[in-house]
Amino acid sequence: MTRLSDDWRRTHYTKEVDESTTNSEVTVMGWVHEIRDLGGIIFVLIRDREGMIQLTAPTKEVSAELVETIRKLRKESVIGLKGIVQESGKAPNGVEIIPNEIKLFCLANQPLPMDPTEKVKAEIDTRLDSRFIDLRKPSVSSIFKIKSKMLHTVRCFFEKNGYLEVNTPKLVASATEGGTELFPITYFEKEAFLGQSPQLYKQMMMSAGFDKVYEIAQIFRAEEHDTLRHLNEAVSIDMEASFMDDVEVMKVLNDLVQEVIINVKEDCSEELKTLGIDLETPEGHFEIVTYDDAVDMINSKDVPMEWGEDLSRAAEKALGDMMDGYYFLTEWPTEIKPFYVMPNEKDPIKSHAFDLMYKDLEISSGAMRVHQHDLLREKIAEKGLNPDAFGGYLKAFEYGMPPHSGWGLGADRFNMTLTGLENIRETVLFPRDRRRLTP
Ligand code: AMO
């Protein structure tokens, strides 16, 4: 068994090796990004999560043994380097490390399955096939640093506003968003499904008196279409709150999106720069477009759409072209929304459902929910589903269910809006789509 000895501990990430560390000994750990052997002097660029640093080895000044070790290195090998920091006008960070000792942890095989230096552009499939190397590229790891900051902000936001984090089951017995999008699985002697949304459970948490809950978890959708916006496994940020209506939870969503953007801009400026993104902080309330108005706007662009239809891709694009950034689409027809959505009391063909859009991309849906047991049972049946299959859920509505509302925000789609990416696969470490189940 090899264990790291105490004298091989990282003292600095590469970006921390700067002028302030001049003349001191540092230990960095990383990947061999580039090797330039000029005979009398060898340069090795070492890369870690935070950046790069140059190792400079004048062959007459360092030991012959060290020169031999350096000459054996191959690109992408993992090494530890101990050395003295020295100022250097020519080195990328203004400093370089003169090596005292090098520890080779792993010699990388050659040729590499893909180039991690960003010099050669690869197709998305090639990149995803060797994702572990693709993720070494700063332009790719930046996406996940931004996602991490986004999720951290989401948790802080909910915690400071009194929400409880919950974990609901992903092995489930019934559909929530409609029956066609389910992945069936064998669950001992029974048929079960992978959860397509925590919807039913987060609502049951309202009956349990948890008042305000949130969950960040995988959702599984057996969508057959292969688009730049759909995954078969996505991450959803879900919230549910009692004694709140749709307007109030829209405000929560509005505030959350703004807070995430502010934090990402503040803490991920390097990553945004790497991605070439200049994020704008949306001010105040996002614009509200009613479904009725959306239909008129879409038709005005010669994209045919009848009242009562869901937005086609062409309709989303036409609307997106007329809108700037984030906006809410409200007052959806009851008919095309799931059974748990509350119809408008005065005009029941319309509902208290909303979507949050970013240009032509839907990033969240939510609604005030039906909290009356009998109406809910009726609505389940109207959708062609069997109310008896929803027994455990419906029961929660019989014994004290408060009025409540909530939404689900697609974390991967939200990340697309923060990183300017067109293909949702790029915002997921190991995406799952119709054609891809590995790596
Ligand atoms: P909905 O089905 O609209 O609503 O999903 C909520 C959000 O999740 C994201 N999303 C997806 N992202 C990538 N690939 C997919 N296949 C995919 N499907 C959904 C989207 C979408 O806006 N229960 C409701 C939410 C609620 O009312 O609380 C629901 O799941 O960003």
Side-chain angles (χ1 to χ4, degrees), residues 177 197 199 202 221 223 231 340 362-363 365 369 407:
E177 311 301 315
S197 158
Q199 184 65 38
K202 61 179 184 166
R221 303 276 168 113
E223 320 243 15
L231 292 165
Y340 50 77
E362 176 210 309
I363 64 166
S365 316
R369 323 297 191 184
W407 44 253

Side-chain angles (χ1 to χ4, degrees), residues 177 196-197 199 202 219 221 223 229-232 234 236 238-240 340 362-367 369 406-410 412-413 424:
E177 311 301 315
Q196 57 183 168
S197 158
Q199 184 65 38
K202 61 179 184 166
I219 55 170
R221 303 276 168 113
E223 320 243 15
R229 308 174 314 283
H230 290 93
L231 292 165
N232 295 111
S236 178
D238 273 88
M239 64 76 70
E240 203 68 28
Y340 50 77
E362 176 210 309
I363 64 166
S364 173
S365 316
R369 323 297 191 184
W407 44 253
L409 168 66
D412 317 295
R413 288 196 187 172
I424 195 166

Side-chain angles (χ1 to χ4, degrees), residues 113-128 134 137-140 274-275 421 426:
M114 66 171 285
D115 175 32
T117 64
E118 318 241 7
K119 282 185 192 143
V120 186
K121 288 264 169 276
E123 291 294 319
I124 184 85
D125 273 323
T126 312
R127 292 177 43 203
L128 293 177
D134 186 48
K137 299 191 287 196
S139 66
V140 181
T274 303
L275 293 168
L421 291 166
E426 298 215 39

